[in-house]
mmCIF file of all heavy atoms in Angstrom:
data_model
loop_
_atom_site.group_PDB
_atom_site.id
_atom_site.type_symbol
_atom_site.label_atom_id
_atom_site.label_comp_id
_atom_site.label_asym_id
_atom_site.label_seq_id
_atom_site.Cartn_x
_atom_site.Cartn_y
_atom_site.Cartn_z
ATOM 1 N N GLY A 21 104.564 80.546 368.507
ATOM 2 C CA GLY A 21 105.977 80.236 368.685
ATOM 3 C C GLY A 21 106.201 79.273 369.836
ATOM 4 O O GLY A 21 107.099 78.442 369.805
ATOM 5 N N LEU A 22 105.383 79.406 370.858
ATOM 6 C CA LEU A 22 105.356 78.459 371.966
ATOM 7 C C LEU A 22 103.991 77.792 371.935
ATOM 8 O O LEU A 22 102.968 78.463 371.816
ATOM 9 C CB LEU A 22 105.563 79.175 373.304
ATOM 10 C CG LEU A 22 106.945 79.750 373.556
ATOM 11 C CD1 LEU A 22 106.945 80.655 374.784
ATOM 12 C CD2 LEU A 22 107.975 78.632 373.720
ATOM 13 N N LYS A 23 103.979 76.484 372.022
ATOM 14 C CA LYS A 23 102.745 75.719 371.879
ATOM 15 C C LYS A 23 102.372 75.010 373.169
ATOM 16 O O LYS A 23 103.201 74.833 374.059
ATOM 17 C CB LYS A 23 102.919 74.701 370.757
ATOM 18 C CG LYS A 23 103.271 75.359 369.430
ATOM 19 C CD LYS A 23 103.102 74.423 368.277
ATOM 20 C CE LYS A 23 103.494 75.033 366.952
ATOM 21 N NZ LYS A 23 102.970 76.320 366.646
ATOM 22 N N SER A 24 101.120 74.591 373.238
ATOM 23 C CA SER A 24 100.629 73.856 374.405
ATOM 24 C C SER A 24 101.594 72.733 374.763
ATOM 25 O O SER A 24 102.026 71.980 373.889
ATOM 26 C CB SER A 24 99.248 73.262 374.113
ATOM 27 O OG SER A 24 98.310 74.285 373.926
ATOM 28 N N GLY A 25 101.935 72.661 376.043
ATOM 29 C CA GLY A 25 102.821 71.613 376.534
ATOM 30 C C GLY A 25 104.294 71.985 376.533
ATOM 31 O O GLY A 25 105.102 71.301 377.156
ATOM 32 N N ASP A 26 104.671 73.054 375.823
ATOM 33 C CA ASP A 26 106.080 73.469 375.813
ATOM 34 C C ASP A 26 106.491 73.888 377.219
ATOM 35 O O ASP A 26 105.760 74.594 377.907
ATOM 36 C CB ASP A 26 106.321 74.649 374.858
ATOM 37 C CG ASP A 26 106.396 74.242 373.401
ATOM 38 O OD1 ASP A 26 106.446 73.021 373.107
ATOM 39 O OD2 ASP A 26 106.415 75.145 372.550
ATOM 40 N N LYS A 27 107.675 73.458 377.608
ATOM 41 C CA LYS A 27 108.212 73.824 378.915
ATOM 42 C C LYS A 27 108.898 75.181 378.810
ATOM 43 O O LYS A 27 109.643 75.434 377.870
ATOM 44 C CB LYS A 27 109.208 72.783 379.414
ATOM 45 C CG LYS A 27 109.677 73.044 380.831
ATOM 46 C CD LYS A 27 110.494 71.917 381.388
ATOM 47 C CE LYS A 27 110.826 72.217 382.843
ATOM 48 N NZ LYS A 27 111.556 71.130 383.459
ATOM 49 N N LEU A 28 108.617 76.033 379.779
ATOM 50 C CA LEU A 28 109.233 77.355 379.823
ATOM 51 C C LEU A 28 110.511 77.294 380.641
ATOM 52 O O LEU A 28 110.713 76.390 381.455
ATOM 53 C CB LEU A 28 108.275 78.366 380.452
ATOM 54 C CG LEU A 28 106.909 78.526 379.776
ATOM 55 C CD1 LEU A 28 106.074 79.544 380.536
ATOM 56 C CD2 LEU A 28 107.052 78.935 378.330
ATOM 57 N N LEU A 29 111.355 78.283 380.439
ATOM 58 C CA LEU A 29 112.533 78.415 381.289
ATOM 59 C C LEU A 29 112.078 78.547 382.736
ATOM 60 O O LEU A 29 111.032 79.139 383.013
ATOM 61 C CB LEU A 29 113.329 79.667 380.904
ATOM 62 C CG LEU A 29 114.024 79.676 379.549
ATOM 63 C CD1 LEU A 29 114.556 81.066 379.246
ATOM 64 C CD2 LEU A 29 115.157 78.666 379.532
ATOM 65 N N SER A 30 112.861 78.035 383.640
ATOM 66 C CA SER A 30 112.510 78.150 385.055
ATOM 67 C C SER A 30 112.706 79.596 385.512
ATOM 68 O O SER A 30 113.391 80.385 384.856
ATOM 69 C CB SER A 30 113.385 77.218 385.895
ATOM 70 O OG SER A 30 114.701 77.733 385.983
ATOM 71 N N TYR A 31 112.135 79.903 386.645
ATOM 72 C CA TYR A 31 112.295 81.228 387.240
ATOM 73 C C TYR A 31 113.781 81.548 387.392
ATOM 74 O O TYR A 31 114.228 82.628 387.034
ATOM 75 C CB TYR A 31 111.650 81.273 388.628
ATOM 76 C CG TYR A 31 110.152 81.149 388.663
ATOM 77 C CD1 TYR A 31 109.516 79.977 388.270
ATOM 78 C CD2 TYR A 31 109.373 82.197 389.113
ATOM 79 C CE1 TYR A 31 108.135 79.856 388.325
ATOM 80 C CE2 TYR A 31 107.983 82.090 389.180
ATOM 81 C CZ TYR A 31 107.377 80.912 388.770
ATOM 82 O OH TYR A 31 106.023 80.807 388.822
ATOM 83 N N ARG A 32 114.519 80.578 387.927
ATOM 84 C CA ARG A 32 115.946 80.782 388.176
ATOM 85 C C ARG A 32 116.727 80.968 386.875
ATOM 86 O O ARG A 32 117.643 81.779 386.818
ATOM 87 C CB ARG A 32 116.527 79.613 388.973
ATOM 88 C CG ARG A 32 116.191 79.689 390.432
ATOM 89 C CD ARG A 32 116.978 78.650 391.232
ATOM 90 N NE ARG A 32 116.769 78.823 392.645
ATOM 91 C CZ ARG A 32 115.761 78.293 393.330
ATOM 92 N NH1 ARG A 32 114.885 77.546 392.711
ATOM 93 N NH2 ARG A 32 115.647 78.517 394.623
ATOM 94 N N GLU A 33 116.377 80.181 385.845
ATOM 95 C CA GLU A 33 117.092 80.299 384.568
ATOM 96 C C GLU A 33 116.921 81.689 383.959
ATOM 97 O O GLU A 33 117.876 82.285 383.476
ATOM 98 C CB GLU A 33 116.606 79.234 383.575
ATOM 99 C CG GLU A 33 117.050 77.837 383.923
ATOM 100 C CD GLU A 33 116.384 76.777 383.064
ATOM 101 O OE1 GLU A 33 115.137 76.804 382.928
ATOM 102 O OE2 GLU A 33 117.104 75.918 382.558
ATOM 103 N N ILE A 34 115.705 82.200 384.009
ATOM 104 C CA ILE A 34 115.460 83.543 383.467
ATOM 105 C C ILE A 34 116.166 84.583 384.331
ATOM 106 O O ILE A 34 116.816 85.492 383.806
ATOM 107 C CB ILE A 34 113.953 83.845 383.362
ATOM 108 C CG1 ILE A 34 113.322 82.976 382.271
ATOM 109 C CG2 ILE A 34 113.721 85.330 383.032
ATOM 110 C CD1 ILE A 34 111.839 83.181 382.100
ATOM 111 N N ALA A 35 116.036 84.445 385.637
ATOM 112 C CA ALA A 35 116.671 85.409 386.545
ATOM 113 C C ALA A 35 118.178 85.463 386.309
ATOM 114 O O ALA A 35 118.764 86.545 386.226
ATOM 115 C CB ALA A 35 116.365 85.049 387.998
ATOM 116 N N LYS A 36 118.787 84.309 386.182
ATOM 117 C CA LYS A 36 120.239 84.249 385.979
ATOM 118 C C LYS A 36 120.620 84.767 384.598
ATOM 119 O O LYS A 36 121.534 85.572 384.458
ATOM 120 C CB LYS A 36 120.729 82.805 386.155
ATOM 121 C CG LYS A 36 122.223 82.657 386.054
ATOM 122 C CD LYS A 36 122.655 81.218 386.307
ATOM 123 C CE LYS A 36 124.167 81.103 386.166
ATOM 124 N NZ LYS A 36 124.628 79.733 386.391
ATOM 125 N N ARG A 37 119.911 84.299 383.579
ATOM 126 C CA ARG A 37 120.238 84.679 382.207
ATOM 127 C C ARG A 37 120.148 86.190 381.986
ATOM 128 O O ARG A 37 120.939 86.777 381.263
ATOM 129 C CB ARG A 37 119.314 83.954 381.226
ATOM 130 C CG ARG A 37 119.663 84.223 379.764
ATOM 131 C CD ARG A 37 118.775 83.471 378.825
ATOM 132 N NE ARG A 37 119.137 82.059 378.837
ATOM 133 C CZ ARG A 37 118.573 81.161 378.048
ATOM 134 N NH1 ARG A 37 117.624 81.516 377.221
ATOM 135 N NH2 ARG A 37 118.952 79.910 378.098
ATOM 136 N N PHE A 38 119.169 86.834 382.622
ATOM 137 C CA PHE A 38 118.935 88.256 382.371
ATOM 138 C C PHE A 38 119.307 89.139 383.559
ATOM 139 O O PHE A 38 119.015 90.332 383.553
ATOM 140 C CB PHE A 38 117.486 88.482 381.945
ATOM 141 C CG PHE A 38 117.149 87.777 380.671
ATOM 142 C CD1 PHE A 38 116.398 86.616 380.689
ATOM 143 C CD2 PHE A 38 117.622 88.240 379.461
ATOM 144 C CE1 PHE A 38 116.105 85.946 379.516
ATOM 145 C CE2 PHE A 38 117.342 87.574 378.290
ATOM 146 C CZ PHE A 38 116.579 86.419 378.318
ATOM 147 N N ASP A 39 119.920 88.541 384.561
ATOM 148 C CA ASP A 39 120.361 89.276 385.731
ATOM 149 C C ASP A 39 119.220 90.098 386.331
ATOM 150 O O ASP A 39 119.313 91.317 386.498
ATOM 151 C CB ASP A 39 121.566 90.165 385.385
ATOM 152 C CG ASP A 39 122.245 90.711 386.635
ATOM 153 O OD1 ASP A 39 122.177 90.038 387.688
ATOM 154 O OD2 ASP A 39 122.829 91.810 386.560
ATOM 155 N N VAL A 40 118.118 89.397 386.604
ATOM 156 C CA VAL A 40 116.959 90.010 387.256
ATOM 157 C C VAL A 40 116.613 89.168 388.472
ATOM 158 O O VAL A 40 117.073 88.038 388.614
ATOM 159 C CB VAL A 40 115.744 90.114 386.305
ATOM 160 C CG1 VAL A 40 116.061 91.015 385.115
ATOM 161 C CG2 VAL A 40 115.266 88.752 385.838
ATOM 162 N N SER A 41 115.791 89.704 389.345
ATOM 163 C CA SER A 41 115.416 88.956 390.545
ATOM 164 C C SER A 41 114.364 87.902 390.205
ATOM 165 O O SER A 41 113.612 88.032 389.238
ATOM 166 C CB SER A 41 114.877 89.899 391.624
ATOM 167 O OG SER A 41 113.572 90.299 391.305
ATOM 168 N N ILE A 42 114.316 86.879 391.041
ATOM 169 C CA ILE A 42 113.297 85.841 390.874
ATOM 170 C C ILE A 42 111.910 86.449 391.069
ATOM 171 O O ILE A 42 110.949 86.025 390.428
ATOM 172 C CB ILE A 42 113.564 84.658 391.836
ATOM 173 C CG1 ILE A 42 114.802 83.906 391.342
ATOM 174 C CG2 ILE A 42 112.362 83.737 391.933
ATOM 175 C CD1 ILE A 42 115.221 82.737 392.186
ATOM 176 N N ILE A 43 111.808 87.459 391.907
ATOM 177 C CA ILE A 43 110.521 88.143 392.119
ATOM 178 C C ILE A 43 110.020 88.751 390.809
ATOM 179 O O ILE A 43 108.833 88.689 390.493
ATOM 180 C CB ILE A 43 110.648 89.220 393.223
ATOM 181 C CG1 ILE A 43 110.930 88.550 394.569
ATOM 182 C CG2 ILE A 43 109.414 90.104 393.294
ATOM 183 C CD1 ILE A 43 111.329 89.495 395.677
ATOM 184 N N THR A 44 110.928 89.307 390.018
ATOM 185 C CA THR A 44 110.569 89.891 388.721
ATOM 186 C C THR A 44 109.985 88.819 387.810
ATOM 187 O O THR A 44 108.940 89.023 387.183
ATOM 188 C CB THR A 44 111.818 90.534 388.070
ATOM 189 O OG1 THR A 44 112.255 91.601 388.910
ATOM 190 C CG2 THR A 44 111.523 91.061 386.680
ATOM 191 N N VAL A 45 110.642 87.678 387.754
ATOM 192 C CA VAL A 45 110.176 86.574 386.911
ATOM 193 C C VAL A 45 108.845 86.040 387.434
ATOM 194 O O VAL A 45 107.924 85.762 386.657
ATOM 195 C CB VAL A 45 111.226 85.451 386.836
ATOM 196 C CG1 VAL A 45 110.742 84.318 385.942
ATOM 197 C CG2 VAL A 45 112.569 85.986 386.353
ATOM 198 N N THR A 46 108.737 85.942 388.750
ATOM 199 C CA THR A 46 107.500 85.457 389.375
ATOM 200 C C THR A 46 106.319 86.331 388.977
ATOM 201 O O THR A 46 105.246 85.826 388.644
ATOM 202 C CB THR A 46 107.645 85.420 390.915
ATOM 203 O OG1 THR A 46 108.735 84.556 391.247
ATOM 204 C CG2 THR A 46 106.379 84.932 391.585
ATOM 205 N N LYS A 47 106.502 87.641 388.993
ATOM 206 C CA LYS A 47 105.425 88.564 388.595
ATOM 207 C C LYS A 47 104.987 88.302 387.158
ATOM 208 O O LYS A 47 103.791 88.275 386.852
ATOM 209 C CB LYS A 47 105.885 90.021 388.727
ATOM 210 C CG LYS A 47 105.953 90.544 390.127
ATOM 211 C CD LYS A 47 106.378 92.015 390.084
ATOM 212 C CE LYS A 47 106.539 92.635 391.427
ATOM 213 N NZ LYS A 47 106.932 94.045 391.335
ATOM 214 N N ALA A 48 105.953 88.117 386.259
ATOM 215 C CA ALA A 48 105.637 87.867 384.853
ATOM 216 C C ALA A 48 104.870 86.556 384.702
ATOM 217 O O ALA A 48 103.838 86.498 384.021
ATOM 218 C CB ALA A 48 106.921 87.829 384.022
ATOM 219 N N TYR A 49 105.361 85.509 385.343
ATOM 220 C CA TYR A 49 104.720 84.199 385.243
ATOM 221 C C TYR A 49 103.338 84.200 385.889
ATOM 222 O O TYR A 49 102.430 83.521 385.428
ATOM 223 C CB TYR A 49 105.621 83.125 385.845
ATOM 224 C CG TYR A 49 106.667 82.573 384.886
ATOM 225 C CD1 TYR A 49 107.212 83.348 383.872
ATOM 226 C CD2 TYR A 49 107.120 81.276 384.999
ATOM 227 C CE1 TYR A 49 108.167 82.859 383.012
ATOM 228 C CE2 TYR A 49 108.082 80.760 384.134
ATOM 229 C CZ TYR A 49 108.595 81.562 383.143
ATOM 230 O OH TYR A 49 109.534 81.053 382.276
ATOM 231 N N GLU A 50 103.163 84.970 386.973
ATOM 232 C CA GLU A 50 101.846 85.060 387.605
ATOM 233 C C GLU A 50 100.821 85.692 386.660
ATOM 234 O O GLU A 50 99.678 85.248 386.589
ATOM 235 C CB GLU A 50 101.920 85.851 388.912
ATOM 236 C CG GLU A 50 102.508 85.064 390.048
ATOM 237 C CD GLU A 50 102.676 85.873 391.330
ATOM 238 O OE1 GLU A 50 102.512 87.112 391.319
ATOM 239 O OE2 GLU A 50 103.002 85.244 392.363
ATOM 240 N N LEU A 51 101.246 86.719 385.923
ATOM 241 C CA LEU A 51 100.338 87.333 384.950
ATOM 242 C C LEU A 51 99.944 86.333 383.867
ATOM 243 O O LEU A 51 98.776 86.252 383.473
ATOM 244 C CB LEU A 51 100.991 88.566 384.311
ATOM 245 C CG LEU A 51 101.165 89.790 385.195
ATOM 246 C CD1 LEU A 51 101.969 90.867 384.476
ATOM 247 C CD2 LEU A 51 99.809 90.339 385.626
ATOM 248 N N LEU A 52 100.920 85.572 383.387
ATOM 249 C CA LEU A 52 100.641 84.557 382.360
ATOM 250 C C LEU A 52 99.713 83.475 382.914
ATOM 251 O O LEU A 52 98.799 83.010 382.221
ATOM 252 C CB LEU A 52 101.946 83.943 381.860
ATOM 253 C CG LEU A 52 102.846 84.887 381.078
ATOM 254 C CD1 LEU A 52 104.263 84.332 380.985
ATOM 255 C CD2 LEU A 52 102.280 85.159 379.693
ATOM 256 N N SER A 53 99.931 83.106 384.164
ATOM 257 C CA SER A 53 99.091 82.107 384.809
ATOM 258 C C SER A 53 97.676 82.640 385.020
ATOM 259 O O SER A 53 96.694 81.919 384.797
ATOM 260 C CB SER A 53 99.704 81.704 386.148
ATOM 261 O OG SER A 53 98.931 80.723 386.766
ATOM 262 N N ASP A 54 97.555 83.897 385.431
ATOM 263 C CA ASP A 54 96.243 84.519 385.622
ATOM 264 C C ASP A 54 95.430 84.504 384.327
ATOM 265 O O ASP A 54 94.204 84.394 384.360
ATOM 266 C CB ASP A 54 96.377 85.962 386.118
ATOM 267 C CG ASP A 54 96.879 86.055 387.548
ATOM 268 O OD1 ASP A 54 96.904 85.024 388.255
ATOM 269 O OD2 ASP A 54 97.279 87.169 387.956
ATOM 270 N N GLU A 55 96.116 84.623 383.198
ATOM 271 C CA GLU A 55 95.438 84.600 381.896
ATOM 272 C C GLU A 55 95.284 83.181 381.357
ATOM 273 O O GLU A 55 94.848 82.987 380.227
ATOM 274 C CB GLU A 55 96.207 85.469 380.894
ATOM 275 C CG GLU A 55 96.138 86.934 381.231
ATOM 276 C CD GLU A 55 96.780 87.824 380.179
ATOM 277 O OE1 GLU A 55 96.868 87.412 379.000
ATOM 278 O OE2 GLU A 55 97.182 88.938 380.544
ATOM 279 N N LYS A 56 95.665 82.209 382.180
ATOM 280 C CA LYS A 56 95.569 80.788 381.842
ATOM 281 C C LYS A 56 96.386 80.409 380.620
ATOM 282 O O LYS A 56 96.065 79.471 379.906
ATOM 283 C CB LYS A 56 94.107 80.369 381.697
ATOM 284 C CG LYS A 56 93.305 80.627 382.966
ATOM 285 C CD LYS A 56 91.977 79.984 382.945
ATOM 286 C CE LYS A 56 91.102 80.267 384.128
ATOM 287 N NZ LYS A 56 91.605 80.740 385.339
ATOM 288 N N LEU A 57 97.475 81.154 380.389
ATOM 289 C CA LEU A 57 98.368 80.845 379.274
ATOM 290 C C LEU A 57 99.434 79.837 379.675
ATOM 291 O O LEU A 57 99.971 79.127 378.819
ATOM 292 C CB LEU A 57 99.020 82.123 378.750
ATOM 293 C CG LEU A 57 98.075 83.084 378.036
ATOM 294 C CD1 LEU A 57 98.758 84.415 377.766
ATOM 295 C CD2 LEU A 57 97.573 82.473 376.739
ATOM 296 N N ILE A 58 99.750 79.791 380.977
ATOM 297 C CA ILE A 58 100.735 78.816 381.454
ATOM 298 C C ILE A 58 100.197 78.126 382.699
ATOM 299 O O ILE A 58 99.293 78.647 383.372
ATOM 300 C CB ILE A 58 102.117 79.457 381.753
ATOM 301 C CG1 ILE A 58 102.051 80.416 382.939
ATOM 302 C CG2 ILE A 58 102.675 80.141 380.515
ATOM 303 C CD1 ILE A 58 103.422 80.880 383.441
ATOM 304 N N THR A 59 100.768 76.954 382.972
ATOM 305 C CA THR A 59 100.441 76.218 384.183
ATOM 306 C C THR A 59 101.743 75.812 384.854
ATOM 307 O O THR A 59 102.781 75.717 384.201
ATOM 308 C CB THR A 59 99.613 74.954 383.883
ATOM 309 O OG1 THR A 59 100.349 74.135 382.972
ATOM 310 C CG2 THR A 59 98.266 75.312 383.283
ATOM 311 N N SER A 60 101.660 75.586 386.139
ATOM 312 C CA SER A 60 102.837 75.180 386.907
ATOM 313 C C SER A 60 102.611 73.805 387.513
ATOM 314 O O SER A 60 101.483 73.448 387.861
ATOM 315 C CB SER A 60 103.103 76.164 388.045
ATOM 316 O OG SER A 60 103.373 77.444 387.528
ATOM 317 N N SER A 61 103.691 73.068 387.633
ATOM 318 C CA SER A 61 103.666 71.782 388.326
ATOM 319 C C SER A 61 105.022 71.604 388.993
ATOM 320 O O SER A 61 105.891 72.468 388.886
ATOM 321 C CB SER A 61 103.395 70.645 387.338
ATOM 322 O OG SER A 61 104.543 70.391 386.544
ATOM 323 N N GLN A 62 105.210 70.472 389.638
ATOM 324 C CA GLN A 62 106.500 70.206 390.270
ATOM 325 C C GLN A 62 107.602 70.069 389.224
ATOM 326 O O GLN A 62 108.773 70.239 389.533
ATOM 327 C CB GLN A 62 106.423 68.949 391.119
ATOM 328 C CG GLN A 62 105.570 69.135 392.354
ATOM 329 C CD GLN A 62 105.494 67.865 393.184
ATOM 330 O OE1 GLN A 62 105.764 66.776 392.706
ATOM 331 N NE2 GLN A 62 105.120 68.028 394.454
ATOM 332 N N LYS A 63 107.219 69.792 387.981
ATOM 333 C CA LYS A 63 108.200 69.623 386.908
ATOM 334 C C LYS A 63 108.543 70.941 386.221
ATOM 335 O O LYS A 63 109.394 70.977 385.351
ATOM 336 C CB LYS A 63 107.682 68.623 385.881
ATOM 337 C CG LYS A 63 107.534 67.228 386.446
ATOM 338 C CD LYS A 63 107.042 66.268 385.398
ATOM 339 C CE LYS A 63 106.887 64.878 385.992
ATOM 340 N NZ LYS A 63 106.457 63.903 384.994
ATOM 341 N N GLY A 64 107.857 72.024 386.571
ATOM 342 C CA GLY A 64 108.148 73.325 385.986
ATOM 343 C C GLY A 64 106.909 74.029 385.468
ATOM 344 O O GLY A 64 105.785 73.641 385.772
ATOM 345 N N CYS A 65 107.136 75.054 384.663
ATOM 346 C CA CYS A 65 106.049 75.821 384.054
ATOM 347 C C CYS A 65 105.931 75.428 382.588
ATOM 348 O O CYS A 65 106.937 75.294 381.891
ATOM 349 C CB CYS A 65 106.320 77.317 384.174
ATOM 350 S SG CYS A 65 106.217 77.928 385.858
ATOM 351 N N PHE A 66 104.697 75.296 382.149
ATOM 352 C CA PHE A 66 104.422 74.851 380.793
ATOM 353 C C PHE A 66 103.358 75.738 380.166
ATOM 354 O O PHE A 66 102.512 76.297 380.859
ATOM 355 C CB PHE A 66 103.900 73.407 380.801
ATOM 356 C CG PHE A 66 104.889 72.420 381.345
ATOM 357 C CD1 PHE A 66 104.999 72.197 382.709
ATOM 358 C CD2 PHE A 66 105.719 71.715 380.487
ATOM 359 C CE1 PHE A 66 105.922 71.299 383.222
ATOM 360 C CE2 PHE A 66 106.646 70.808 380.984
ATOM 361 C CZ PHE A 66 106.740 70.596 382.351
#
């Protein structure tokens, strides 16, 4: 459903959309990054 190169919602967008803390989103994205499913750059997470 999400393919290589697709841009993910930003930490802030998810936090705002779901009324959760940025720390919560950071934890989720860190797990995805640890599994090498996503990468981060200055342009966002992909």
